[in-house]
């Protein structure tokens, strides 16, 4: 199975900050990497697919990059509604594993 | 509007069974592969099972293999998860998720609101 490791597991940031979350795969997954946002009590919401493609309706302050084993999710200017938990997911192979999550909290 | 609505969750004793359903609307259900994903209280996301659009291909996570059965009824636009021999560690919110393969990539583009399964004596 492919293991997905996210870092950090949590971070504190202020509105307007630039935030970067990293995700590392235990083997190459090409660009089969997605990012989801989850708010408390809600279902996950797809933000980025294929490592760097922005899902329809997602604000342009979100961006993704990387290929192979190392990926990043960047929020260019953190907004109040962005405080949430973020998960990466590989869809290169079965099982479709998720990272452990990164909780973005208000500083 | 795409909608996925799960039902069937509840409290069940260890060793018991439960059947979850996911009702789909707003898209051609028979054209899409589907998945179940779960989330234990306060924990991260765990992929559980996959079924192809025609039910010809099915996969399970090792943690549920031999105990859970995924199925679908395209005529009823419904996805199911039969859960047997339930354990405490199966306690979680269970989500159904649509798989998007419209390009070369694969993503879970729509999710239901989830249904809570609690396994406890």
């Amino acid at each position: 199975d492919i293991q997905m490791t996210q870092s950090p597991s949590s971070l504190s940031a202020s509105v307007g900050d630039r935030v970067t979350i990293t995700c590392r795969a235990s083997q190459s997954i090409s660009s089969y990497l997605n990012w989801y946002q989850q708010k408390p009590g809600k279902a996950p919401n797809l933000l980025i697919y294929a490592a760097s493609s922005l899902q329809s309706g997602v604000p342009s302050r979100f961006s993704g990059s990387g290929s192979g084993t190392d990926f990043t999710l960047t929020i260019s200017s953190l907004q109040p509604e962005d405080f949430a938990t973020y998960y990466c997911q590989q869809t290169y192979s079965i099982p479709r594993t998720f990272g452990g999550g990164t909780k973005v909290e208000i500083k | 509007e795409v909608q996925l609505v799960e039902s069937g969750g509840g409290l069940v004793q260890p060793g018991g069974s439960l059947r979850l359903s996911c009702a789909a609307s707003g898209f051609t259900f028979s054209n899409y592969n589907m998945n179940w994903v779960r989330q234990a209280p306060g924990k991260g996301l765990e992929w559980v099972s996959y079924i192809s659009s025609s039910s010809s291909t099915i996969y399970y996570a090792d943690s549920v293999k031999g105990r859970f059965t995924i199925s679908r009824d395209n005529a009823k636009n419904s996805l199911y998860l039969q859960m047997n021999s339930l354990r405490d560690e199966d306690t979680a919110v269970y989500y159904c998720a649509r798989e998007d393969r419209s390009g070369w990539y694969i993503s879970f583009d729509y999710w239901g609101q989830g249904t809570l399964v609690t396994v406890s004596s």
Side-chain angles (χ1 to χ4, degrees), chain A residues 11-15 37-40 78-86 104-107:
Chain A
L11 65 89
S12 295
S14 300
V15 172
Q37 177 193 66
Q38 186 181 34
K39 296 182 179 179
L78 198 65
Q79 297 302 300
E81 59 268 30
D82 301 337
F83 292 95
T85 300
Y86 295 84
V104 177
E105 299 175 301
I106 302 173
K107 180 183 278 185

Side-chain angles (χ1 to χ4, degrees), chain B residues 1-6 22-30 32 34 72-79 96 98 109-113:
Chain B
E1 179 195 4
V2 172
Q3 281 200 318
L4 297 169
V5 180
E6 301 94 338
C22 171
S25 61
F27 65 103
T28 304
F29 180 70
S30 59
Y32 287 85
M34 298 294 295
R72 64 191 294 161
D73 185 336
N74 287 343
K76 294 183 177 179
N77 292 332
S78 293
L79 173 72
C96 61
R98 189 180 86 165
D109 62 346
Y110 285 94
W111 299 61
Q113 85 289 349

Side-chain angles (χ1 to χ4, degrees), chain A residues 1 30-32 34 36 38 41-46 48-51 55 87 89 91 94-100, chain B residues 35 37 39 43-47 50 59-62 95 99-101 104-113:
Chain A
D1 297 0
S30 183
S31 295
Y32 286 86
N34 305 313
Y36 300 88
Q38 186 181 34
K42 300 295 186 181
N45 181 49
L46 178 65
I48 301 286
Y49 62 92
Q55 175 71 350
Y87 293 93
Q89 178 206 28
T91 52
I94 295 288
R96 306 228 188 275
T97 41
F98 292 88
Chain B
N35 293 266
V37 176
Q39 186 170 37
K43 302 297 184 181
L45 301 170
E46 179 188 15
W47 172 83
Y50 159 97
Y59 299 113
Y60 298 99
D62 286 346
Y95 298 101
E99 186 166 290
D100 177 21
R101 287 195 182 208
W104 59 265
Y105 54 86
I106 300 168
S107 66
F108 293 3
D109 62 346
Y110 285 94
W111 299 61
Q113 85 289 349

Side-chain angles (χ1 to χ4, degrees), chain B:
Chain B
E1 179 195 4
V2 172
Q3 281 200 318
L4 297 169
V5 180
E6 301 94 338
S7 60
L11 175 64
V12 61
Q13 292 187 338
S17 298
L18 215 53
R19 189 196 196 205
L20 305 183
S21 299
C22 171
S25 61
F27 65 103
T28 304
F29 180 70
S30 59
N31 287 350
Y32 287 85
N33 306 327
M34 298 294 295
N35 293 266
W36 287 99
V37 176
R38 69 184 180 183
Q39 186 170 37
K43 302 297 184 181
L45 301 170
E46 179 188 15
W47 172 83
V48 172
S49 185
Y50 159 97
I51 186 167
S52 64
S53 57
S54 65
S55 303
S56 60
T57 303
I58 286 173
Y59 299 113
Y60 298 99
D62 286 346
S63 58
V64 307
K65 200 173 296 182
R67 301 186 298 121
F68 289 12
T69 302
I70 192 172
S71 63
R72 64 191 294 161
D73 185 336
N74 287 343
K76 294 183 177 179
N77 292 332
S78 293
L79 173 72
Y80 306 101
L81 187 68
Q82 176 67 43
M83 304 186 296
N84 298 331
S85 304
L86 282 161
R87 305 167 180 169
D88 291 351
E89 56 265 33
D90 295 319
T91 293
V93 173
Y94 285 73
Y95 298 101
C96 61
R98 189 180 86 165
E99 186 166 290
D100 177 21
R101 287 195 182 208
S102 53
W104 59 265
Y105 54 86
I106 300 168
S107 66
F108 293 3
D109 62 346
Y110 285 94
W111 299 61
Q113 85 289 349
T115 187
L116 176 62
V117 173
T118 303
V119 184
S120 175
S121 53

